[in-house]
Amino acid sequence: MEQLNNNSRRSFLKASSMLGLGAAFSQGMIGQAFANSQPIANHNQPIGKNGIRPFHVDVPETELTELRMRIRAARWPEQELVGDASQGVQLSTMQKVAQYWADEYDWRRVEARLNALPQFMTEIDGLNIHFIHVRSKHENALPLIVTHGWPGSIIEQLKIIDPLTNPTAHGGSASDAFDVVVPSLPGYGFSGKPTTTGWDISHIVRAWTTLMKRLGYTRFVAAGGDVGAQVVDEFGVQAPKELLGIHSNMPGTVPADVARALTRHEPPPSGLSADEQHAWDQLDFFYKKGLGYAIEISNRPQTLYGLMDSPVGLAAWMIDHDARSEELITRAFDGETEGLTRDDILDNITLYWLTNTAVSAARSYWDYSSTAKKGFFDVKGATVPVAVSAFPDEIYTAPRSWAEKAYPKLIHYNKLPKGGHFAAWEQPKFYSEELREGFRTLRSSIANPTA
């Protein structure tokens, strides 16, 4: 669809508002037109080599004005009936989120940060794929593709780009350098929204391989967490000849007997070590108390119309991902920043809102689950070299014993002192150091391509 003119849209919104229809049209009929044409970005750049074109974010001010209006018009429920977050994200937290979002938050800051990075768009299998691509100034940099998850986005990886591409400025050496590629998953952020089913994890891995080859890389490594962890595990299964190895901070290591007992709500198998019992306890809690969002978006993603209509509803849904992350976010809005700031959190949520991708991102889980042969945390069968970073506040902290059995070519395992589900976002220093260390033994293949 041809990109709509911003002045025309402002005129339409003004006229509609006079009729009392502005809000309904903005996220409805005209909102859909904008979702299809993606006016918040410049697609009119010339197409370069291999169909790659530059990309620039430019959100119309009317979009931001409407967002603030909708936040202020939120209809609030009564306060939860308990003194903690066991019934969901607490009312006091969400009202603090809304106040800051409507009155103090500045999207233009993160927009400028994104536009300071080399961003691109390319079409793969009929779908526009957005990605950040930063080449290191150092020779023999190791090409790396990093995949975000849900409810994340490329915002998760912004803090690790400079430490990885410019390691000498962050305590590393030139030999630690990476070329970094950070794509937006199909249906997320600035990437296109699939118009047919079939963009499952296997398809994403094939697309990412195409992307790296299109960028001229004959050897590369891959990393990711959450959905990105599923992607790297599948990379390890497909093992394209260009792939040297993978890194995961949410690895699939859970043994079959443990997975079976968890899903059936049975007691744990006997003989678990202390680390294995701790992992069991974390997973048992998640399966019983934290899996609701994944069940809904895997089975009924189209039902989530409220996420497209209410920014406060979207924010609450995204904040309520896992208990430890929710605690971290709550602390940020209470002024006790650790790992994530208020702006970090709202950068990510605002990106979902402005790109109208709440439902398209949720639908991705329907695609993933429709073809998945294994559960999120199950052993997938990777045959390539694997590095694992086990963070204490992840949904589960993978024990070394499980990682060694799950990955026959385990080349790195480390337990970190802090960090949770959004490791690259929360603890970029630890995460960057883990990638340097985890992939260090694979670098000779870049200096010597025949290795």
Side-chain angles (χ1 to χ4, degrees), residues 374-392:
K374 298 288 186 69
F376 243 55
F377 311 114
D378 294 350
V379 177
K380 309 300 191 306
T383 61
V384 303
V386 179
V388 168
S389 298
F391 287 86

Side-chain angles (χ1 to χ4, degrees), residues 221-252:
V221 292
D226 193 82
V227 174
Q230 311 309 300
V231 170
V232 295
D233 264 344
E234 179 62 19
F235 257 124
V237 173
Q238 291 188 18
K241 61 183 178 61
E242 296 83 6
L243 182 71
L244 295 172
I246 62 174
H247 173 276
S248 179
N249 55 280
M250 197 187 80

Side-chain angles (χ1 to χ4, degrees), residues 132-281:
I132 296 168
H133 181 204
V134 183
R135 294 185 184 273
S136 175
K137 64 182 180 181
H138 299 295
E139 294 183 2
N140 296 322
L142 179 60
L144 163 71
I145 185 167
V146 189
T147 307
H148 66 81
W150 185 94
S153 66
I154 56 168
I155 299 296
E156 286 183 64
Q157 278 77 43
L158 294 184
K159 297 177 187 177
I160 64 171
I161 292 174
D162 197 64
L164 294 177
T165 59
N166 187 22
T168 55
H170 298 270
S173 65
S175 61
D176 288 324
F178 293 86
D179 284 354
V180 176
V181 179
V182 183
S184 296
L185 285 163
Y188 291 70
F190 303 117
S191 280
K193 301 175 183 179
T195 56
T196 62
T197 59
W199 275 94
D200 59 7
I201 298 297
S202 295
H203 193 169
I204 291 168
V205 168
R206 294 192 297 272
W208 280 192
T209 303
T210 296
L211 173 59
M212 295 301 279
K213 291 165 67 175
R214 191 171 291 181
L215 293 173
Y217 295 124
T218 57
R219 297 289 181 92
F220 66 88
V221 292
D226 193 82
V227 174
Q230 311 309 300
V231 170
V232 295
D233 264 344
E234 179 62 19
F235 257 124
V237 173
Q238 291 188 18
K241 61 183 178 61
E242 296 83 6
L243 182 71
L244 295 172
I246 62 174
H247 173 276
S248 179
N249 55 280
M250 197 187 80
T253 69
V254 177
D257 60 337
V258 174
R260 184 167 51 252
L262 284 164
T263 56
R264 295 177 180 178
H265 300 302
E266 296 174 350
S270 61
L272 296 182
S273 69
D275 283 350
E276 292 168 349
Q277 182 64 50
H278 178 60
W280 165 276
D281 292 340

Side-chain angles (χ1 to χ4, degrees), residues 43 47-53 120-131 191-192 199 203 206-208 210-211 214:
H43 286 268
I47 296 177
K49 183 180 178 182
N50 295 326
I52 296 172
R53 59 192 185 275
F120 304 92
M121 191 76 75
T122 193
E123 184 178 308
I124 300 176
D125 296 342
L127 191 69
N128 275 331
I129 299 297
H130 164 265
F131 62 98
S191 280
W199 275 94
H203 193 169
R206 294 192 297 272
W208 280 192
T210 296
L211 173 59
R214 191 171 291 181

